[in-house]
Amino acid sequence: MSHPPTRASESHSTDGLGDLDRDPMVELFATYGRPHLPLFVVGTLASLVSRTVGLVPPLVLGVTIDALLTGNATYRLPLVPAAWLPTTELGQFQLSAGLILASFVLAVVFTWTQGVSMALFSNRVQHAVRVSAYTAMQRLDMAFFDDKQTGQVMSILNNDVRNLRSFLDSTVGGAIQLVVTILGIAGVLFWLNAQLAVVTLVAVPLLAGFTVWFAREIRTRYRALREAVGELNTRLENNLSGIEVIKAAATEPYEEARVAEASEDYLERSLSVVRLDYFYNPTMDLLAGLSFAATFAVGGYWLLVGAPPFFSGTLLVGEFVTFLFLTQRFVDPLAGIGRIVNSYENARASGERVFGLAHRPVSVAERAAPVALDPVEGHLAFEDVTFGYRPEEPVVRGVSFEATPGETVALVGPTGAGKSTLAKLVLRLYDTDTGAVRVDGVDVRDASLADLRRAVGYVSQDVYLFDGTVRENLVYGAFDVTEDEMLAAARDAEVDSFARDLPDGYDTRIGERGVKLSGGQRQRISIARAMLQDPRILVLDEATSAVDTETERAIQRALARLSEGRTTLVVAHRLSTVRDADTILVLEDGRVTERGSHDDLLAEGGKYAALWAVQADAAVDFDALLADGRGE
Ligand SMILES: Nc1ncnc2c1ncn2[C@@H]1O[C@H](COP(=O)(O)OP(=O)(O)OP(=O)(O)O)[C@@H](O)[C@H]1O
């Protein structure tokens, strides 16, 4: 399973994503959260108010007990001037009951406001993060996509982005409430009885230290887990795409085992998170419980026996009840810190992956001031080009050739010789290691990428069609063509003949990747697409797969119409294409070993001539012939 590193992974760490220069969570808030700050502020304030209001019932309860039930103190409410308070006991009791009721109603209203604001905030941020992660992904080098499995990228764009949302939605609100509650209650506890508060808070440093350890431990486990989600997605995505092969080869049990293996790996890593969580959470609960028990023991002793050693003053029953209520509200959130740290670290691992896409350096990028290629004449030149997918293993070596506008250059050679790679270099899907590819004399690295790719039409070996109608696929990339132009191209590319017979004509949906069409039909749609793009330079990677003679002829006619008057670089598998080319390059192991027109090469009597002499079929078996030529 291990591959030697390629360009995509050599300069990067574990997962081939870019290194972030700041914490992913800072990036999340500073870049994506900021535009929706009002929602966040409303949510936070609502959360603060609902928590503060929540403190009212225990305070009122304590005061009521001490003033009205035990009669140990006068009826006093914090922050309320004594003159405003009722003087009769019944009036005071009614005020207490009213305050308790009002505080519950207000808490509900503000909790609702907080929930709605945070849900809007998190969903909007999710949308912005997803769109920007997609944009970042799209600009990455082809080398990234060669290396990275679709499932991994999908899991970043889907699962990891969603993970960030659920963190913002449930955890951020919870964390703010928690901080407010802990700080607020700690303050009130000190205000009520500083000596007893020390007993309650003595557990806090322990809890904090333990939580820091937990956060560190769980971070690496979450990173591994996010990776495993990607691996599992990759497996599933591969199998869905290859379902036909699986069924045809009857490899269902084998694939089930492979999916089970990936799922088990995911399970293992989830469990490693869960195990840590299940050690941490009860320990936190225990420490919090001890803090409550200690408060109860010390306060109870104080009430029953008198001030314990090192303590002074008196404690009232109502005060103690308030204190215990608040202590309970203090220790519960303490125990909840774990859930928040957990969710934070999970989101952080997702954030690293999502923002890693944007921070990944791109080598095939436009210069600051790119040269416009508009209009294009169509002069194409390769100057001593060397390129390898891994720089130490060149697959194109010192290739030079030139095609003046309107000329056709055919590339022939055995499989793996580097023909398709040369074709891709014209589009600048990769950058050359040495030498240069020039269009109209401009090095493609200096040219505007959009101009370059508009100027070069590419009909690849494996035609990719999008799920959609025939019409949508025809006009893909040339969206503003008229109906007549579309129909003319469809006729020229011999699409019209079959499109009209489809159930809904041009509006027939062709399925994912165009599965509802035959290979030859897909090929012709891609030729029509190139016609509508009307490029000055054409790169044709002829399909090697055999089609029937009639289809073959239709494709040939379509290609001939398409390449008319355009500079054409064709990876040729058919004699007709080769014979009519202005220049033929024989490529072997990345090098040009013969070059010239068909007649020149025949006269030369080299490998091409030998090949031609024995070639009887329409498709050329360069492999066998060149092997014969070498006397192997
Ligand atoms: N994306 C890639 N990443 C790494 N290596 C690649 C990649 N694409 C092709 N190669 C390797 O580069 C070499 C040249 O491949 P290329 O597709 O250019 O050959 P070709 O002459 O077009 O072959 P064919 O006639 O079979 O299409 C091969 O050894 C191949 O394994």
Side-chain angles (χ1 to χ4, degrees), residues 146 389-390 395 413-421 424 430 461 573:
D146 294 344
Y389 294 96
R390 285 180 287 276
V395 296
T415 180
K419 307 181 295 292
S420 302
T421 305
K424 288 177 196 165
Y430 302 87
Q461 249 180 35
H573 297 285

Side-chain angles (χ1 to χ4, degrees), residues 566-604:
R566 306 180 207 272
T567 312
T568 307
L569 178 67
V570 55
V571 176
H573 297 285
R574 292 180 181 81
L575 286 182
S576 49
T577 326
V578 184
R579 184 161 45 187
D580 298 338
D582 297 290
T583 309
I584 299 162
L585 304 176
V586 178
L587 206 66
E588 280 181 275
D589 203 12
R591 286 180 211 286
V592 177
T593 50
E594 287 177 29
R595 72 171 72 216
S597 67
H598 175 72
D599 293 337
D600 292 345
L601 291 179
L602 282 192
E604 222 172 78

Side-chain angles (χ1 to χ4, degrees), residues 14-46:
T14 48
D15 57 1
L17 296 170
D19 294 325
L20 300 178
D21 45 15
R22 60 176 170 179
D23 190 280
M25 301 317 259
V26 174
E27 173 106 1
L28 178 66
F29 279 97
T31 309
Y32 299 95
R34 191 174 299 186
H36 308 290
L37 197 62
L39 283 172
F40 182 73
V41 171
V42 169
T44 309
L45 289 179

Side-chain angles (χ1 to χ4, degrees), residues 250-278:
T251 48
E252 287 94 342
Y254 172 71
E255 291 301 341
E256 272 161 30
R258 290 218 289 182
V259 168
E261 192 187 325
S263 179
E264 212 162 286
D265 187 40
Y266 171 68
L267 173 70
E268 265 313 306
R269 296 185 196 195
S270 292
L271 288 182
S272 116
V273 167
V274 168
R275 272 193 294 273
L276 192 63
D277 211 25
Y278 280 177

Side-chain angles (χ1 to χ4, degrees), residues 50 69 160-161 211 258 291 296 310 458 528 535 573 579:
S50 79
L69 300 183
D160 288 320
V161 170
T211 301
R258 290 218 289 182
S291 154
F296 178 74
F310 312 113
Y458 180 47
H573 297 285
R579 184 161 45 187

